[in-house]
Amino acid sequence: MVTAVLTTEQLAAVEQLIDRVSERQRQDFGHISSDLKADGTLITACDRWSDAAFVEGLAEIAPGEGVLSEEGSKHVPESRAYWVVDPLDGTTNFAAGIPYWAISVARFVDGRPSEVFLDVPALRQRIVALKGRGAFRNGEALTAETRLSANSACVSLCSRSIRVLQRKPDQPFPGKIRLLGVASLNLVSVAMGQTVGALEATPRIWDLAAAWLVLEELDCPIRWLGADPSRLRPGEDLSQAPFPMLAAASVPQLNRLLPWGEALSEG
């Protein structure tokens, strides 16, 4: 029987599983080669091992709950509760020797994230968000007040969203641009107060799943610029389904950046 929320024991077991995968990734970093997938993106043996570890481990922690992952099944599971996993978000950074990548694990219940985990192995940082119960970094509570006091002027773009700059050549972009190369961390940078906005042109569900709840728990407004991921259908194939989105630190910041988000769909 599916429970609406994970037990304390299950939450601890997920963290232990992430610990194991995170340690393996740190060991492999700088000592592994990559291959090209059919879509032209990179994959490493560490991606494959990490994905298998999560599929096996989550089946033990939460029996009967399906897993949708970047390197495994990309169909929305039939179960009421299921997991959305990106075992190594930022493979290009990882393979190039850039020490900035993430592990993204999100549990969905009734189509929305309920418990999520974002781990940054190289920094030994972990962000956990529990629906209605807040967000935490390495066990310390994060708050909207702390985020808003950061006074950042940066806006995170993905490599595919920089085309909006060409579509508005006569208008200065409203922020200092940063490209981190990790979709989940681009988005969660808003919730952390590192940026005031993030624009992602083609994120897949596994890129945004964990960051989505972190943003919501810290009152960061989100605008879906295409399909709404809260309307997923059981069995739906998400392998080629992007969910372009804009996240911001506040409603005024969202409105300020919205013309640039809308420019993504032009032409």
Side-chain angles (χ1 to χ4, degrees):
M1 179 179 177
V2 172
T3 57
V5 297
L6 296 177
T7 66
T8 301
E9 292 75 17
Q10 286 174 309
L11 288 170
V14 175
E15 296 227 40
Q16 290 168 7
L17 176 59
I18 296 173
D19 286 343
R20 182 163 68 93
V21 175
S22 183
E23 181 58 30
R24 168 66 180 266
Q25 291 183 1
R26 282 192 292 268
Q27 291 174 5
D28 283 356
F29 178 66
H31 305 284
I32 201 163
S33 59
S34 61
D35 301 314
L36 280 177
K37 294 192 287 188
D39 63 1
T41 58
L42 294 178
I43 187 171
T44 69
C46 192
D47 289 82
R48 296 186 179 98
W49 179 90
S50 300
D51 186 78
F54 277 120
V55 170
E56 179 182 349
L58 293 173
E60 295 178 357
I61 294 168
E65 299 185 0
V67 179
L68 184 162
S69 72
E70 181 177 14
E71 311 307 342
S73 172
K74 298 178 179 64
H75 290 80
V76 179
E78 301 285 344
S79 52
R80 178 189 167 204
Y82 59 86
W83 299 82
V84 182
V85 176
D86 192 337
L88 203 165
D89 185 18
T91 298
T92 299
N93 282 358
F94 183 80
I98 299 171
Y100 198 61
W101 73 92
I103 297 167
S104 176
V105 177
R107 180 177 182 257
F108 277 41
V109 177
D110 297 330
R112 298 183 69 90
S114 175
E115 297 100 345
V116 306
F117 308 80
L118 258 178
D119 192 82
V120 191
L123 299 181
R124 298 182 185 271
Q125 289 188 4
R126 182 170 302 161
I127 302 165
V128 177
L130 308 173
K131 187 175 182 179
R133 291 174 281 171
F136 309 84
R137 178 174 57 183
N138 289 356
E140 296 291 326
L142 297 169
T143 67
E145 290 75 18
T146 300
R147 169 175 57 76
L148 291 170
S149 68
N151 295 320
S152 174
C154 297
V155 177
S156 177
L157 302 183
C158 70
S159 59
R160 293 182 181 88
S161 65
I162 59 174
R163 65 177 181 264
V164 301
L165 304 179
Q166 298 170 319
R167 293 175 179 172
K168 292 181 173 292
D170 300 325
Q171 298 183 37
F173 186 78
K176 297 180 179 180
I177 295 170
R178 294 294 181 268
L179 280 76
L180 305 177
V182 187
S184 59
L185 299 183
N186 284 348
L187 293 168
V188 87
S189 70
V190 180
M192 304 292 288
Q194 298 160 338
T195 64
V196 295
L199 184 58
E200 284 284 328
T202 59
R204 300 298 195 253
I205 190 65
W206 46 83
D207 295 319
L208 63 88
W212 179 5
L213 183 58
V214 179
L215 289 163
E216 287 191 337
E217 287 297 310
L218 290 172
D219 300 324
C220 298
I222 296 171
R223 176 67 61 90
W224 304 111
L225 303 170
D228 185 339
S230 65
R231 299 176 181 173
L232 302 179
R233 301 183 306 276
E236 184 178 358
D237 182 359
L238 299 184
S239 57
Q240 301 299 320
F243 296 94
M245 64 181 293
L246 171 65
S250 64
V251 172
Q253 287 287 2
L254 184 79
N255 292 334
R256 186 166 167 245
L257 291 166
L258 190 55
W260 301 88
E262 293 173 338
L264 283 176
S265 60
E266 296 176 1

